[in-house]
């Protein structure tokens, strides 16, 4: 038997019910804020992710599913959604329609070590907002994410964590300070952090190794080295969050794993998922559009991991797919000739119906009808077929009535009410 790839999973019909409601609620809530859905391709040129997410990020360095196409162009399965949204924004000229607000949902691919809440194919629901520069936009995005999470039943136990990552005016000087501090502690850093000291020293701040964590705690933090503009942006954001009474925690060690962020970075975390504690994450990326060849364009966004949301919803995802309203028992060759047409007319009245397609005796078919969970069983035997009628059995009471096939859709509709 061929098995599914490691880190990749099926979303079984019972779980899919939960996924659909999580997705439907996203459409509804984001719609309240004026966001519209954008569907981008699952594969893009590798260069798009290399430039947007960053050559030195873990994602681009070692986690992408990349392959040459038949003409040798390097293609990658998308590891995240923001790069494609930026490409689409530029390519379709949405620079002329600001603010541009989109959401997206779908699979992403990263070759990570699989564990609870971390997969190689996972799904994100994300939102991106282009145009507004001030902290009002940041605060509204966070309020929207929290409202959504509250609506799907995850209000409890989530923490909104914030940081500012500065900008090109203040980050280089900070980076220098940080590097010289880390140099003095180099021996005590883990091997991985020692190797990324030159390329990406900020990432050392969120290393999970105990030794590195201790060093990070006493390291100089970006938050204390912001330029005046970044500081007033951050202060403005906090004031707006306070105004909405949206609780938050400032986390000076949050640096994010993608290189495109500046100023605001945020994560919504839970204590219930072990190491994979972020259910949502995002931030500002005011330079990305320009870095990709467009004009300067402030932007902010976030994405949520759907698997993590569903894991947190826990017990509720033990649903079974809904039962059909009607089950149809078909007994005899004459009956078969009329059954499908009758079934079609019933579905035409918006009634869910499952026909027994596997033959079998009456007793056996009635057992299947009971197992299906349908409220009503419609029985068509050769006798009924000849008379153009059906027996309708209400499963709960056992009450049975003969109804003409012509009247069946309407009768079922009113009985099911
Ligand atoms: P990210 O932090 O890489 O950010 O991913 C966002 C969320 O996706 C995470 O908080 C987590 O819930 C989920 N996630 C990430 N990797 C996995 C995985 N391997 N398995 C399961 N879930 C995962 C981004 O992707 C940015 N594009 C977010 C953003 C949008 N920033 C601005 N706009």
């Amino acid at each position: 038997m061929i098995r599914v790839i490691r880190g990749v999973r099926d979303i079984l019909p019972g779980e899919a019910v939960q996924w659909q409601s999580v997705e439907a609620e996203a459409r509804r809530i984001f719609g309240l804020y004026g966001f519209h859905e954008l569907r981008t391709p699952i594969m893009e040129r590798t260069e798009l992710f290399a430039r947007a997410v960053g050559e030195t990020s873990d994602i681009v360095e070692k986690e992408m599913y990349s392959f040459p196409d038949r003409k040798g162009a390097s293609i990658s399965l998308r590891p995240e959604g923001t790069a494609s949204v930026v490409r689409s924004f530029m390519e379709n000229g949405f620079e002329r329609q600001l603010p541009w607000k989109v959401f997206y949902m779908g699979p992403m691919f990263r070759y990570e070590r699989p564990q609870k809440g971390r997969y190689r194919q996972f799904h994100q629901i994300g939102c991106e907002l282009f145009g507004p520069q001030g902290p009002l936009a940041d605060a509204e995005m966070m309020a929207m994410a929290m409202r959504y999470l509250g609506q799907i039943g995850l209000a409890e136990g989530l923490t909104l964590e914030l940081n500012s990552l500065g900008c090109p005016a203040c980050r280089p000087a900070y980076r220098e300070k940080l590097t010289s501090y880390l140099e003095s502690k180099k021996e005590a850093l883990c091997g991985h952090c020692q190797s990324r000291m030159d390329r990406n020293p900020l990432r050392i701040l969120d290393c999970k190794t105990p030794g590195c964590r201790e060093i990070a705690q006493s390291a100089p933090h970006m938050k204390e080295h912001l330029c005046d503009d970044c500081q007033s942006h951050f202060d403005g954001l906090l004031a707006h969050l306070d105004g909405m009474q949206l609780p938050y925690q400032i986390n000076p060690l949050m640096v994010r794993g993608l290189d495109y962020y500046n100023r605001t970075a945020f994560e919504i975390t839970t204590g219930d998922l072990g190491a994979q504690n972020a259910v949502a994450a995002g931030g500002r990326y005011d330079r990305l559009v320009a870095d990709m060849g467009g004009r300067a364009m402030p932007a902010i966004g976030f994405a949520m991991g759907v698997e993590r949301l569903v894991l947190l919803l826990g017990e509720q995802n033990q649903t079974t797919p809904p039962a059909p309203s009607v089950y149809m028992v078909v007994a005899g060759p004459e009956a078969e000739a009329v059954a499908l047409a009758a079934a079609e007319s019933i579905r035409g009245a918006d009634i869910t119906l499952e026909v027994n397609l596997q033959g079998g005796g009456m007793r056996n078919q009635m057992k299947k009808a009971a197992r299906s969970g349908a409220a009503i069983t419609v029985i068509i035997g050769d006798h009924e077929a000849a008379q153009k009628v059906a027996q309708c059995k209400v499963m709960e009471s056992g009450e049975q009535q003969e109804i003409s096939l012509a009247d069946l859709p309407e009768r079922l509709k009113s009985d099911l009410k």
Side-chain angles (χ1 to χ4, degrees):
M1 191 173 70
I2 298 171
R3 293 186 178 275
V4 75
I5 298 170
R6 184 165 133 82
V8 170
R9 46 193 288 282
D10 298 314
I11 298 149
L12 301 174
E15 280 178 276
V17 173
Q18 179 113 25
W19 281 65
Q20 285 161 8
S21 76
V22 163
E23 289 163 0
E25 207 53 12
R27 294 194 160 90
R28 190 178 78 77
I29 299 293
F30 300 156
L32 297 177
Y33 293 78
F35 283 72
H36 301 292
E37 185 170 1
L38 172 72
R39 300 187 188 198
T40 61
I42 283 172
M43 53 184 182
E44 300 262 12
R45 290 176 198 285
T46 301
E47 193 192 348
L48 174 70
F49 303 115
R51 281 182 53 192
V53 178
E55 300 275 6
T56 60
S57 64
D58 284 353
I59 294 178
V60 169
E61 267 191 352
K62 47 189 188 209
E63 295 173 0
M64 286 217 289
Y65 283 89
S66 302
F67 52 92
D69 72 7
R70 288 183 184 278
K71 289 207 167 137
S74 180
I75 304 293
S76 293
L77 299 183
R78 62 183 182 191
E80 60 106 50
T82 310
S84 299
V85 174
V86 166
R87 179 201 46 69
S88 179
F89 171 77
M90 291 164 58
E91 197 169 344
N92 295 294
F94 286 111
E95 283 147 333
R96 294 185 295 274
Q97 294 179 32
L98 300 177
W100 194 58
K101 299 173 167 182
V102 294
F103 69 87
Y104 51 90
M105 46 184 79
M108 310 289 163
F109 306 84
R110 294 183 194 174
Y111 195 83
E112 291 190 272
R113 198 164 48 78
Q115 55 178 257
K116 183 179 175 191
R118 188 162 77 190
Y119 309 95
R120 289 181 174 171
Q121 175 175 330
F122 61 98
H123 297 72
Q124 283 186 346
I125 299 179
C127 293
E128 313 289 350
L129 166 56
F130 293 72
Q133 188 164 22
L136 211 52
D138 310 29
E140 193 185 58
M141 286 299 256
M142 292 176 199
M144 180 168 81
M146 292 307 279
R147 173 176 296 279
Y148 169 75
L149 293 165
Q151 282 294 319
I152 62 169
L154 295 180
E156 301 297 314
L158 295 182
T159 308
L160 170 61
E161 298 187 31
L162 303 179
N163 195 15
S164 176
L165 301 176
C167 70
C170 51
R171 207 186 312 174
Y174 164 71
R175 192 180 147 133
E176 242 167 66
K177 267 205 181 81
L178 176 66
T179 311
S180 73
Y181 167 81
L182 293 172
E183 282 294 349
S184 70
K185 311 276 177 189
K186 193 164 181 180
E187 300 306 304
L189 292 171
C190 73
H192 186 209
C193 284
Q194 288 187 10
S195 76
R196 59 185 172 183
M197 185 105 136
D198 300 330
R199 288 171 297 131
N200 210 341
L202 266 75
R203 281 312 306 272
I204 296 174
L205 295 180
D206 76 350
C207 177
K208 303 286 184 277
T209 316
C212 297
R213 278 180 97 126
E214 216 177 293
I215 293 171
Q217 290 291 348
S218 346
H221 296 153
M222 185 72 237
K223 202 167 70 59
E224 274 84 49
H225 296 84
L226 296 174
C227 61
D228 290 348
D229 286 350
C230 287
Q231 187 64 54
S232 83
H233 187 98
F234 196 57
D235 292 343
L237 168 60
L238 302 188
H240 295 318
L241 294 176
D242 291 338
M244 289 188 289
Q245 296 183 327
L246 205 65
Y248 57 83
Q249 265 177 26
I250 296 173
N251 176 359
L253 298 182
M254 184 209 301
V255 292
R256 310 283 300 121
L258 305 92
D259 289 354
Y260 47 62
Y261 294 112
N262 68 300
R263 291 194 173 159
T264 311
F266 67 104
E267 290 188 354
I268 300 171
T269 57
T270 169
D272 297 333
L273 283 181
Q276 306 310 312
N277 68 347
V279 297
R284 271 206 170 266
Y285 49 95
D286 296 331
R287 297 182 49 82
L288 184 55
V289 175
D291 286 349
M292 301 297 286
R295 70 177 163 96
M297 180 60 58
I300 180 166
F302 69 90
M304 303 177 288
V306 184
E307 282 80 1
R308 295 185 190 179
L309 301 180
V310 171
L311 269 171
L312 283 179
L313 289 168
E315 295 299 284
Q316 295 170 42
N317 65 21
Q318 302 303 325
T319 46
T320 44
S325 301
V326 177
Y327 192 89
M328 184 178 276
V329 164
V330 188
E334 307 298 326
E336 282 184 5
V338 300
L340 282 190
E344 285 302 312
S345 69
I346 293 167
R347 295 186 185 115
D350 256 349
I351 296 169
T352 58
L353 175 146
E354 189 179 330
V355 180
N356 174 49
L357 300 171
Q358 288 175 290
M362 181 62 84
R363 260 174 71 105
N364 171 295
Q365 290 202 48
M366 288 308 289
K367 263 194 205 152
K368 283 188 188 159
R371 229 181 297 133
S372 77
I376 298 177
T377 299
V378 168
I379 304 154
I380 305 182
D382 287 346
H383 168 75
E384 282 79 14
Q387 305 290 314
K388 298 207 170 10
V389 296
Q391 304 296 331
C392 290
K393 180 172 176 181
V394 178
M395 299 303 275
E396 204 175 88
S397 62
E399 206 178 295
Q400 192 164 315
Q401 265 189 50
E402 187 173 282
I403 294 168
S404 84
L405 292 182
D407 294 341
L408 206 50
E410 281 312 310
R411 282 294 298 271
L412 287 170
K413 213 168 177 175
S414 71
D415 288 358
L416 284 166
K417 264 188 205 147

